[in-house]
Amino acid sequence: MRNFLSVDDVEDVEKLLQKALKLKKEPFEDSALGKNKTIGLIFMNPSTRTRLSTQKAAMNLGMNVMIMNLDKEGWALETQEGIIMNQNTVEHIKDAAAVMGRYCDIIGIRSFPKLVDKLEDYSEDFFQKFVKYAKVPIVSLESATLHPLQSFADLITIHEHKTKDKPKVVLTWAPHIKPLPQAVANSFSEWMLKGNVDFVITHPKGYELYEKFTGSTPIIYDQNEALRDADFIYVKNWSSYNDYGQVLSLDSNWMLTNEKLEVTNNAKVMHCLPVRRNIELSDEILDGPDSLVVEQAENRVYSCQAVLKEILIENFN
Ligand code: CP
């Protein structure tokens, strides 16, 4: 593995899953692997879990970690080629990325979409430019369209808690007061398509995701029907892809409650966090026995550690 930007960078998802489970049992077995190697974590947006779990994963592998909130602490970056930089941007991404590539052996980046121009966001220009100019392995800490470290942690969590070989997994849209990216939902979909699960998506009309990520996954617009016999329910808000970046519904009936779980197969409930309580997901579920949200967050360490281990072995040994 050179870069980790999507599930397509993983040669064998099942093998990587088994490696992550082993690392969870023995997190320090490769503590010399990353000796004298440096990972730089570059954040253009806030983070709690991604920042801390990636740092912990790198430290478990013996790596040095440098973290920069580039949006607040660095120079404003220009991304357009050939532009006359006489406005507010101070440094071109090609110069900044090239320099960071000299300081770091691996670079992790978080850069959210602006949710204004679909073509610009879905081109993943920011990440592609880092790949091109930094010339070191790049790990997505959540891009404009995908959040693969989260989805891999979600797959690990489902594997740990499933009670049948092929569980039914439902991705359900939930209300939110602000327009959020589609990245978590896109990414979860493409990882579920690689897993041994029966996958269904439910959302109000108008919230269809990009088919590149959802493939032929059934969409059931009636949430109660979609939840029937579910083993896992993944709750997430996203803004519209077709009516790009718009909030089309604030319907609180889409918030999951214990009553809605009655038609499921004792479903476990997942969310990547942060979550707006009693808007996206009810207190009674988050504080109840069916929630896996903390387990998912814990597994962020091992999804990341498995990925960093692969990159270290394949690029530096
Ligand atoms: N789930 C997730 O990525 O959390 P953070 O935004 O806190 O990193």
Side-chain angles (χ1 to χ4, degrees):
M1 187 190 299
R2 172 72 182 173
N3 303 304
F4 183 73
L5 304 176
S6 85
V7 74
D8 294 333
D9 292 313
V10 182
E11 203 177 303
D12 187 327
V13 171
E14 178 59 29
K15 266 192 193 158
L16 194 64
L17 171 65
Q18 293 304 326
K19 287 178 184 176
L21 293 169
K22 189 162 179 285
L23 284 169
K24 190 169 180 178
K25 280 195 192 125
E26 297 167 54
F28 306 115
E29 70 171 10
D30 303 298
S31 58
L33 186 66
K35 190 168 185 295
N36 297 332
K37 292 284 176 281
T38 298
I39 185 167
L41 305 181
I42 306 299
F43 288 89
M44 304 301 290
N45 312 93
S47 168
T48 299
R49 280 144 292 273
T50 304
R51 178 173 170 148
L52 294 176
S53 62
T54 307
Q55 189 171 3
K56 186 168 166 70
M59 291 189 307
N60 286 353
L61 292 166
M63 300 186 78
N64 301 314
V65 185
M66 299 194 296
I67 303 179
M68 188 168 183
N69 297 315
L70 193 65
D71 61 322
K72 297 183 187 71
E73 299 160 356
W75 301 111
L77 289 186
E78 179 57 60
T79 55
Q80 276 191 56
E81 296 286 346
I83 193 169
I84 298 170
M85 288 173 55
N86 60 359
Q87 297 295 314
N88 294 330
T89 52
V90 180
E91 178 167 36
H92 203 280
I93 191 170
K94 62 169 75 174
D95 302 316
V99 168
M100 288 179 206
R102 299 293 174 97
Y103 300 153
C104 305
D105 300 287
I106 301 173
I107 298 177
I109 308 170
R110 165 167 284 197
S111 180
F112 288 173
K114 297 188 187 80
L115 293 178
V116 175
D117 181 336
K118 177 158 68 176
L119 282 181
E120 183 189 325
D121 289 345
Y122 274 68
S123 73
E124 294 286 15
D125 182 55
F126 194 88
F127 275 75
Q128 292 309 322
K129 286 203 162 74
F130 256 91
V131 169
K132 184 171 176 185
Y133 295 115
K135 298 189 182 351
V136 295
I138 302 294
V139 174
S140 171
L141 306 178
E142 188 171 346
S143 71
T145 67
L146 294 170
H147 195 0
L149 285 176
Q150 177 67 54
S151 309
F152 183 24
D154 298 333
L155 187 70
I156 295 168
T157 311
I158 288 171
H159 180 89
E160 289 177 322
H161 291 271
K162 69 181 183 180
T163 55
K164 62 170 76 142
D165 197 39
K166 190 173 184 182
K168 177 176 176 181
V169 178
V170 180
L171 168 63
T172 180
W173 180 89
H176 199 287
I177 58 167
K178 291 191 169 180
L180 297 192
Q182 296 99 33
V184 170
N186 286 340
S187 202
F188 185 71
S189 299
E190 58 171 24
W191 282 76
M192 286 304 104
L193 292 180
K194 297 272 182 175
N196 185 31
V197 302
D198 174 15
F199 184 47
V200 170
I201 301 175
T202 181
H203 54 69
K205 286 193 174 155
Y207 279 96
E208 291 76 11
L209 295 162
Y210 186 20
E211 280 178 9
K212 176 185 170 191
F213 302 121
T214 58
S216 56
T217 304
I219 299 170
I220 301 175
Y221 293 109
D222 180 333
Q223 189 191 44
N224 289 330
E225 188 191 327
L227 295 180
R228 191 166 299 285
D229 301 325
D231 298 293
F232 295 90
I233 305 170
Y234 200 94
V235 179
K236 186 72 186 85
N237 171 268
W238 62 90
S239 59
S240 174
Y241 171 72
N242 289 326
D243 201 354
Y244 192 62
Q246 298 302 303
V247 174
L248 306 179
S249 170
L250 291 167
D251 186 355
S252 59
N253 288 322
W254 277 82
M255 187 180 75
L256 208 62
T257 56
N258 277 339
E259 193 185 342
K260 289 194 182 190
L261 295 187
E262 283 171 15
V263 299
T264 71
N265 183 31
N266 298 316
K268 296 291 182 192
V269 180
M270 305 175 72
H271 188 289
C272 63
L273 302 179
V275 64
R276 293 218 179 210
R277 281 175 173 253
N278 303 312
I279 299 274
E280 270 186 283
L281 201 42
S282 58
D283 273 344
E284 65 180 6
I285 288 187
L286 283 165
D287 298 332
D290 300 316
S291 170
L292 291 180
V293 299
V294 177
E295 283 73 11
Q296 289 171 259
E298 180 187 0
N299 282 332
R300 291 293 305 273
V301 175
Y302 307 105
S303 67
C304 185
Q305 197 169 331
V307 166
L308 293 181
K309 182 178 169 181
E310 290 294 295
I311 292 175
L312 285 170
I313 288 172
E314 291 182 24
N315 294 275
F316 300 104
N317 281 288

